[in-house]
């Protein structure tokens, strides 16, 4: 089967970085048409820089990286330096990238790609706030039906929120954008905290990265060491969730995940529950199903895939 064509929309972020590395390490499964950076974990200039650092680390300076939106549709940007550090990729020392950013705006790249590639053959992988995707859909409604699938990291239900008691960060930063995406009618597979919190960076798993003896393995281990301190302190867990790579792992090996096709709505009005993904897991409403909500993962299989693929870089 031909590799799936994808666009990764991202706010690197250590876990975003691992997702990008996994995609670049899997050419037999995925063709990365481009990376569009969005403001999220850190401001846009840094997410656009970090995406290029990761591509160069993977030995792929030919990857096209575009800067997208620098703030949410309607709200002030909220960032997460408390989790990812000032640079967004804190942990190991890093050189500035030498590869250039593309001139074209990320939203225009998404629109142009969806219009020029055969309809139904491009998957969008938003792993940050969905501002770029929603802006593309607003600016060019004709491209919505041309999307093959949206595989996103975001939301939470049983696991509740991580940035507020009821909201997950990617949704909370731009709830209006998330509402547009979840209301678009595009096939959606979502990786909420309910599943990503079952994919923890335990010590044996991080040691496996370090044991690779490669620059990529060392960098991923160092990023993980930094990134996990926040979640381990907060949750008392034995590692941190590697959120964003779950989307890419799903595209490579969907059998690692189990979930349910249900209705998911986004709260955009209430101050108290802003950004909550209201998941009708028990189907108690007649609201139409609009997303496959992933709730379980074969964590050992996930980390085995990660270790196998990252060792290639
Ligand atoms: O809540 C986790 C999400 O927020 C991940 O995508 C992480 O990178 C941050 O963007
Ligand atoms: Ca992210």
């Amino acid at each position: 089967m031909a590799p799936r064509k994808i666009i990764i929309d991202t706010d690197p972020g250590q876990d975003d970085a691992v997702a990008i590395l996994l995609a670049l390490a899997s050419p037999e499964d995925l063709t990365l048409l481009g990376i569009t950076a969005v403001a999220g974990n850190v401001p846009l200039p840094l997410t656009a820089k970090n995406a290029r650092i990761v591509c160069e680390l993977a030995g792929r300076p030919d990857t096209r990286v575009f800067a997208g939106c620098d703030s949410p549709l309607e709200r002030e940007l909220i960032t997460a330096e408390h989790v990812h550090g000032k640079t967004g990729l804190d942990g190991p020392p890093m050189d500035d990238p030498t590869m250039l950013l593309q001139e074209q705006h990320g939203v225009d790249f998404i629109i142009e790609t969806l219009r020029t590639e055969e309809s139904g053959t491009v998957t969008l992988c938003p792993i940050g706030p969905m501002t770029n995707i929603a802006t593309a859909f607003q600016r060019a409604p004709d491209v919505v039906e041309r999307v093959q699938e949206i595989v996103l990291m975001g939301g939470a239900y049983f696991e509740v929120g991580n940035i507020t008691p009821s909201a997950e960060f990617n949704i909370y930063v731009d709830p209006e954008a998330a509402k547009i995406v979840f209301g678009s009618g595009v096939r959606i597979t979502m990786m909420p905290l309910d599943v990503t919190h079952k994919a923890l960076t335990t010590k044996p798993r991080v040691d496996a990265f370090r044991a690779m003896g490669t620059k990529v393995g060392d960098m991923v281990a160092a990023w993980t060491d930094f990134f996990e301190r926040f979640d381990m302190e907060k949750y008392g867990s034995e590692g941190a969730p590697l959120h964003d790579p779950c989307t890419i792992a799903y595209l490579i090996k969907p059998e690692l995940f189990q979930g349910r096709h249900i209705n998911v709505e986004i709260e955009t009005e209430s101050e108290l529950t802003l950004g909550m993904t209201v998941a009708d897991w028990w189907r108690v409403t007649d609201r139409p199903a609009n997303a496959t909500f992933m709730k379980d993962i074969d964590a050992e299989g996930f980390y085995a895939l990660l270790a196998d693929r990252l060792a290639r870089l």
Side-chain angles (χ1 to χ4, degrees), residues 100-142:
L100 298 177
L101 204 52
Q102 298 294 311
E103 289 293 314
Q104 191 177 28
H105 190 284
V107 170
D108 295 331
F109 167 71
I110 292 169
I111 293 170
E112 182 185 277
T113 303
L114 288 169
R115 282 179 172 157
T116 47
E117 295 290 337
E118 188 191 338
S119 181
T121 65
V122 176
T123 293
L124 303 179
C125 300
I127 52 178
M130 288 183 262
T131 316
N132 289 341
I133 312 295
T135 305
F137 286 3
Q138 282 181 318
R139 212 181 282 171
D142 61 290

Side-chain angles (χ1 to χ4, degrees), residues 209-248:
F209 293 139
R210 207 166 267 116
M212 286 176 194
T214 63
K215 184 144 189 311
V216 165
D218 291 346
M219 290 289 275
V220 169
W223 279 330
T224 306
D225 287 345
F226 179 87
F227 169 72
E228 68 183 11
R229 84 217 178 289
F230 177 81
D231 281 83
M232 289 173 78
E233 207 171 291
K234 175 177 171 183
Y235 296 104
S237 52
E238 52 165 331
L242 262 189
H243 306 285
D244 295 336
C246 288
T247 57
I248 306 303

Side-chain angles (χ1 to χ4, degrees), residues 11 15-16 41 84 127-128 153 162 168-170 193 243-244:
D11 63 338
D15 60 320
D16 303 67
N41 284 321
H84 300 276
I127 52 178
M153 189 280 141
N162 61 358
E168 178 277 327
F169 179 79
N170 288 343
L193 299 181
H243 306 285
D244 295 336

